[in-house]
Amino acid sequence: MPQAALIDLHREVVQTTWVDYNDHMNVAYYVLIFDHATDALLDFVGLNHLHREKTKNSVFVVESHLTYEKEVMKGDELRVTTQILDMDEKRLHIFHRMYLIDSNDLVSTNELMILGVNLSKRRVYPFAEKVAANLNRIMLSQKSLPHPPQAGQSIGIRKSSNAIQH
């Protein structure tokens, strides 16, 4: 996949305290790293702390889907890229990919549906014009990227001949 069009704003190192009893990074910290990458994207498009204070507008995640492709261990250096899959005036559909920096192996993905929200009213609210324009510019620059195979999947047990019969 051409990497040039993906937003590449966030890097993080797996901390000792993030490793669980299976000796790999705990599920919660994948979410934390992806959340940091989302914050980096929001800052990049102008939906930063100052914008939130001034306008009382922010975003809420309303749906999330994670996949785990490869184990991540203590001390691993990670980077996260972001693709904007779709948007409208109030919604943003993004897709993060987490990679090991040393090998560039894909280790995890995170798909998010995000809503613009007015914090005073606690209601869905359109993105500010400048923020929407920045998001739209990124989305249009990424139109030629293939749709991630992990995006839009549902979770469930697929029936097979190997399934345990009850």
Side-chain angles (χ1 to χ4, degrees), residues 17-84:
T17 56
W18 297 357
V19 174
D20 64 18
Y21 47 80
N22 292 318
D23 211 26
H24 59 208
M25 187 166 70
N26 182 274
V27 170
Y29 297 100
Y30 287 85
V31 175
L32 178 70
I33 292 170
F34 283 128
D35 192 50
H36 291 166
T38 302
D39 288 343
L41 172 69
L42 296 175
D43 286 348
F44 184 72
V45 299
L47 215 166
N48 55 25
H49 178 71
L50 294 175
H51 174 81
R52 287 186 298 275
E53 276 187 6
K54 180 180 170 186
T55 65
K56 302 299 182 220
N57 294 334
S58 187
V59 294
F60 290 179
V61 171
V62 294
E63 189 169 343
S64 176
H65 186 154
L66 282 132
T67 68
Y68 305 95
E69 309 289 334
K70 185 175 180 176
E71 282 186 304
V72 173
M73 312 304 259
K74 176 179 66 173
D76 281 344
E77 296 178 340
L78 306 169
R79 72 182 180 93
V80 178
T81 63
T82 305
Q83 182 176 354
I84 298 177

Side-chain angles (χ1 to χ4, degrees), residues 62-129:
V62 294
E63 189 169 343
S64 176
H65 186 154
L66 282 132
T67 68
Y68 305 95
E69 309 289 334
K70 185 175 180 176
E71 282 186 304
V72 173
M73 312 304 259
K74 176 179 66 173
D76 281 344
E77 296 178 340
L78 306 169
R79 72 182 180 93
V80 178
T81 63
T82 305
Q83 182 176 354
I84 298 177
L85 299 178
D86 202 2
M87 66 171 288
D88 63 19
E89 67 176 8
K90 299 175 184 177
R91 295 176 293 184
L92 177 63
H93 183 193
I94 67 173
F95 193 83
H96 294 302
R97 294 171 180 87
M98 184 185 298
Y99 298 92
L100 286 169
I101 288 177
D102 64 349
S103 66
N104 207 36
D105 288 345
L106 179 67
V107 297
S108 185
T109 67
N110 179 219
E111 181 179 12
L112 298 171
M113 182 61 70
I114 298 171
L115 295 179
V117 173
N118 178 279
L119 296 173
S120 297
K121 298 178 182 178
R122 309 305 272 193
R123 298 273 183 229
V124 176
Y125 198 79
F127 297 114
E129 191 174 313

